[in-house]
Amino acid sequence: MKKSICLYFQVHQPTRLRLYRFFDIGKDSHYYDDFANRTILKRIAQKCYLPMNELLLEQIKEQKGKFKVAFSISGTALEQFDRYAPEVIDSFRALAETGCVEFLCETYYHSLAALGSEAEFEHQVLKHKTAIEHYFGVTPKAFRNTELIYSDQIGAKVRDMGFKTMLTEGARHIMGWKSPNYVYSCDFRSDLSLLLRNYGLSDDIAFRFSDSGWQGWPLTSEKFTQWASEAEGDILNLFMDYETFGEHQSEDTGIFDFMKALPKAVLGGGFQFVTPSEATRKLKPVADLSVPQPISWADEERDLSAWLGNELQQDAFNKLYGLEEKLSILADPMLWADYGHLQESDHLYYMCTKFFSDGEIHQRFNPYDTPYEAFINYMNVLSDFIIRVNNAIAEKQ
C-alpha cells in the first residue's frame, strides 16, 4: 500500500473584544470590537481564504480527485463569514461539492469546554455539527478538539458522541520512541482511532517556510516530498492553521506556488492523499495510546500552559465556567451566545505570560500590549456578564 498524506487545516477567527473599561460595567453590554472583527476577517479573506480555496479547487480538478484535504471551521469563523464575507462560504461549498474535502466537527466556539464542562462540551459539539450540515450539506464523521487538545478521558467522550476518528498532536513526551506516522487508538476506547500530527514536517510549512536562516530554506515541493519519503510509517499527518497561507506566510514568500506544486510532486513520489476518515478506514491502529493528561499542539510544551498556565488564566477560566449552573436555568439566547463567545480560547491565550521560547509567537497573535491588559479587559467584560446573569435569575424568581 502507498504511504498516505493527510492534509488538514484549522480555520478560526476569534470574536475580538472591544476596549471595555471598568466604568462600562453595568452600563453597556456590547462587548465586541465589530470594526476589528470585520476589518481583519475581510483582509484575511482576500489574502488567504479566497485565493487558497481557489488554488485547492484547481488542484483537486487537475489531479482528477486524487488530491484531498480536510478542514475544521469554527462556529465563530462561520458566523463572521456569514456576516462580513459570504463569498468565503460559497468558496468552501465549492470545495465540499468535489467530494474530495472532509469537514470535521469541533467545539462551536473554539473553546476549552472539554476541560470546563462536559455538558457544555457536548452542547457545542452538537451545535457545530448542525452548522456544518447547514452550510455544507455533510455530516462530520471525524473530530478535532480545540487546538488539538486531547486526553484519554476526552477521547472516550468523543467516541460516546459517535465519532470514530479524532485528530491530536504527536507530542514527544507522550510518544517517546514511538512514531506519529501510524494510526493509534484511544487507551480508554479502542474503537476510537487517533491521527497524530507530525509537527516537524507540519511546522516546516507553517513556521519555517520563509525563514532564510533555516537550513531547509528554500523549501520546494520536491525537497518536501523527498523528506516525506524518508519518514518511517504509514501516514504523515500534516496539520496547520489555514491562515499559514497568505497571512502568516505572505504571498511573496512563494507559499502559494509551493502549495500549487505540492500535490503533483507528492502523487508523483508514490504517495496518496487521504482525508482523516479515509485514513482510519484504510489503516488499522498499531497500538493504544495512553494520554492521561491533556496535550495540545501549542508551544514547546504541547500542553495546556498556553491557556491555563498562570493564575490570571485560571481565575478567568474558573469564574466563567462557574456560571454554568446559573445559566442552565435561563433560556435567554443572548446570554447563551455571549457565554459561548466568552469561552473562545483566544481570550485566555492573550493572557499567557510566556516570554521566552514561545513568547514571540504569542505576541504575534495578541492584540493587547501585555497579558495583564488582556486579563483586565476580559474580567471587566465578565463582570458585566455576571451582573446580567444574576439580574436575569432575580427576574425569573
Side-chain angles (χ1 to χ4, degrees):
M1 183 182 292
K2 292 181 178 179
K3 187 183 290 186
S4 299
I5 285 186
C6 181
L7 194 56
Y8 151 78
F9 303 115
Q10 169 184 290
V11 183
H12 170 62
Q13 285 299 314
T15 309
R16 297 163 187 85
L17 301 176
R18 71 176 179 89
L19 177 61
Y20 195 88
R21 302 181 188 279
F22 174 81
F23 300 104
D24 293 324
I25 299 172
K27 297 178 182 177
D28 186 347
S29 296
H30 182 72
Y31 306 139
Y32 311 113
D33 190 337
D34 298 326
F35 177 77
N37 289 326
R38 179 178 67 251
T39 303
I40 293 171
L41 192 282
K42 291 177 78 70
R43 184 194 77 213
I44 298 177
Q46 294 302 317
K47 292 176 66 176
C48 170
Y49 302 137
L50 292 172
M52 194 59 186
N53 281 359
E54 183 179 354
L55 186 155
L56 295 181
L57 186 61
E58 288 175 357
Q59 286 305 305
I60 288 170
K61 293 176 179 177
E62 189 172 311
Q63 306 305 328
K64 297 180 170 51
K66 293 181 180 179
F67 177 52
K68 301 174 182 181
V69 298
F71 290 97
S72 66
I73 309 175
S74 71
T76 56
L78 289 168
E79 287 181 2
Q80 291 186 52
F81 293 155
D82 236 354
R83 192 175 301 132
Y84 306 128
E87 64 274 18
V88 174
I89 294 281
D90 294 336
S91 68
F92 277 114
R93 283 194 180 119
L95 286 171
E97 289 167 2
T98 66
C100 295
V101 176
E102 181 173 11
F103 291 88
L104 311 185
C105 200
E106 63 165 283
T107 58
Y108 186 90
Y109 294 105
H110 197 76
S111 73
L112 303 184
L115 308 169
S117 163
E118 189 171 299
E120 178 64 12
F121 179 58
E122 186 169 349
H123 164 72
Q124 287 193 31
V125 172
L126 294 175
K127 183 179 176 72
H128 188 263
K129 182 179 180 182
T130 301
I132 295 300
E133 292 170 342
H134 167 74
Y135 283 106
F136 307 117
V138 295
T139 299
K141 305 294 185 186
F143 189 80
R144 181 220 66 129
N145 197 20
T146 305
E147 304 293 331
L148 297 189
I149 292 172
Y150 174 82
S151 68
D152 297 330
Q153 189 172 3
I154 293 171
K157 177 63 178 174
V158 167
R159 184 64 189 94
D160 287 342
M161 286 190 284
F163 299 99
K164 296 181 179 179
T165 304
M166 186 167 178
L167 282 57
T168 188
E169 175 71 11
R172 187 181 303 166
H173 68 278
I174 291 295
M175 300 306 296
W177 57 268
K178 297 187 290 292
S179 168
N181 304 334
Y182 296 93
V183 176
Y184 292 84
S185 56
C186 173
D187 197 39
F188 285 8
R189 291 290 299 271
S190 59
D191 52 348
L192 177 71
S193 293
L194 303 175
L195 295 177
L196 310 180
R197 175 176 177 258
N198 184 309
Y199 62 81
L201 289 172
S202 298
D203 289 350
D204 286 342
I205 300 173
F207 291 105
R208 291 183 281 272
F209 183 84
S210 60
D211 181 2
S212 59
W214 172 45
Q215 62 180 9
W217 188 86
L219 183 59
T220 63
S221 59
E222 293 79 13
K223 186 186 294 184
F224 190 84
T225 302
Q226 179 61 36
W227 292 349
S229 67
E230 293 168 356
E232 68 163 300
D234 300 326
I235 183 168
L236 299 177
N237 299 306
L238 307 177
F239 304 163
M240 62 199 78
D241 286 330
Y242 202 34
E243 294 79 17
T244 293
F245 306 96
E247 177 67 8
H248 304 162
Q249 304 288 346
S250 60
E251 182 180 5
D252 59 16
T253 65
I255 191 71
F256 288 104
D257 295 330
F258 169 80
M259 277 305 300
K260 188 173 183 179
L262 189 64
K264 183 178 180 180
V266 165
L267 291 168
F271 290 87
Q272 62 179 348
F273 284 99
V274 294
T275 63
S277 291
E278 279 184 334
T280 56
R281 282 199 302 269
K282 292 181 176 182
L283 299 169
K284 300 300 180 187
V286 296
D288 290 343
L289 189 69
S290 176
V291 187
Q293 299 300 320
I295 58 173
S296 76
W297 72 353
D299 298 348
E300 196 69 30
E301 297 89 348
R302 306 290 199 266
D303 60 10
L304 303 180
S305 58
W307 307 277
L308 296 173
N310 63 46
E311 291 183 3
L312 305 179
Q313 296 167 312
Q314 292 161 20
D315 186 34
F317 177 86
N318 292 332
K319 278 190 169 61
L320 179 67
Y321 282 100
L323 293 171
E324 185 184 27
E325 186 175 344
K326 289 182 177 180
L327 278 162
S328 66
I329 64 175
L330 299 172
D332 186 327
M334 287 296 294
L335 283 175
W336 276 100
D338 286 338
Y339 181 54
H341 287 300
L342 290 176
Q343 289 180 61
E344 293 173 26
S345 62
D346 310 76
H347 305 310
L348 296 172
Y349 188 85
Y350 301 149
M351 302 175 200
C352 185
T353 49
K354 292 182 182 180
F355 297 117
F356 299 102
S357 61
D358 299 293
E360 182 182 343
I361 293 173
H362 281 265
Q363 278 301 113
R364 190 191 307 172
F365 300 116
N366 197 336
Y368 299 94
D369 290 334
T370 71
Y372 308 102
E373 288 181 21
F375 174 74
I376 291 168
N377 202 63
Y378 182 84
M379 295 307 284
N380 285 344
V381 169
L382 189 56
S383 295
D384 183 83
F385 183 71
I386 291 171
I387 290 171
R388 290 169 58 203
V389 171
N390 288 337
N391 287 345
I393 289 175
E395 291 173 9
K396 191 177 178 68
Q397 292 174 343

